[in-house]
Amino acid sequence: MPRTPARTTRVNTKPAKSSAGPALTHIGASGEARMVDVSDKPATERLAVAEGRVVMTKATLDLIVSGNAKKGDVLGTARIAGIMAAKRTSELIPLCHPLALSKVTVDIEPDAELPGCLVRASVKVTGPTGVEMEALTAVSVACLTIYDMIKAVERGVRIEGIHLVEKLGGKSGHYHA
């Protein structure tokens, strides 16, 4: 039986500027994914802060706070995981630039009113591009680590509200949620 050639339909994927704002920077003129060229941008100090929540029962939070979780120090392990994740963001998120980070902090506060943990990451660099993705990755992985370390006790834990809180530096200036 003769084969019919596959029909190809070309879709116009060219990024279009809209009245809502500029085109997506990671999409080339032909619609292909691309890494943004930052070689002409000046190296400036940049900071990003992100946060999220891990919501659980009060009993599970008490287990974490008391240090009696079966897998060990939940908050300390999550803090280290978040810092390591920030440093490896370019390996995890396509098209992110590898950056020599100046500082990464991950703070985790137990909150009895949630009940759960508030996770906040702050990432700093002097370079030609921002560190929003690094801060968001740090928070995400820290939250996932908390979940991993307590899932045997409580499967219904929720990770919520991961978002960028603040960004300083670069051409777009200061952003605060």
Side-chain angles (χ1 to χ4, degrees):
M1 179 177 238
R3 292 176 55 178
T4 353
R7 196 188 291 186
T8 309
T9 306
R10 177 125 172 104
V11 177
N12 182 4
T13 55
K14 196 177 224 182
K17 287 193 177 194
S18 71
S19 59
L24 298 173
T25 58
H26 285 81
I27 306 294
S30 302
E32 78 284 0
R34 67 181 179 92
M35 185 180 229
V36 175
D37 182 358
V38 296
S39 59
D40 289 336
K41 291 173 131 187
T44 60
E45 187 173 276
R46 296 156 186 268
L47 169 77
V49 179
E51 67 182 20
R53 295 181 303 277
V54 184
V55 182
M56 61 197 71
T57 64
K58 182 177 178 344
T60 302
L61 180 60
D62 290 343
L63 188 68
I64 291 171
V65 172
S66 70
N68 292 324
K70 200 171 195 173
K71 286 189 173 185
D73 179 6
V74 173
L75 303 183
T77 303
R79 191 174 299 108
I80 291 169
I83 292 167
M84 291 173 64
K87 293 167 56 172
R88 301 191 74 170
T89 300
S90 68
E91 296 173 35
L92 300 169
I93 309 294
L95 311 176
C96 278
H97 292 85
L99 301 172
L101 304 178
S102 311
K103 184 176 182 182
V104 179
T105 59
V106 176
D107 297 311
I108 306 171
E109 293 294 326
D111 182 343
E113 288 189 31
L114 267 178
C117 297
L118 299 172
V119 179
R120 187 177 189 100
S122 178
V123 181
K124 192 179 200 182
V125 72
T126 298
T129 189
V131 285
E132 297 93 340
M133 292 309 300
E134 287 73 9
L136 289 162
T137 299
V139 168
S140 299
V141 171
C143 289
L144 288 167
T145 301
I146 292 169
Y147 177 86
D148 180 54
M149 294 188 74
I150 61 174
K151 69 182 181 225
V153 175
E154 182 183 346
R155 296 273 181 193
V157 172
R158 292 186 324 274
I159 296 171
E160 299 178 346
I162 296 173
H163 66 285
L164 183 67
V165 173
E166 187 171 19
K167 179 204 92 66
L168 289 164
K171 188 168 108 179
S172 61
H174 186 214
Y175 166 82
H176 195 280

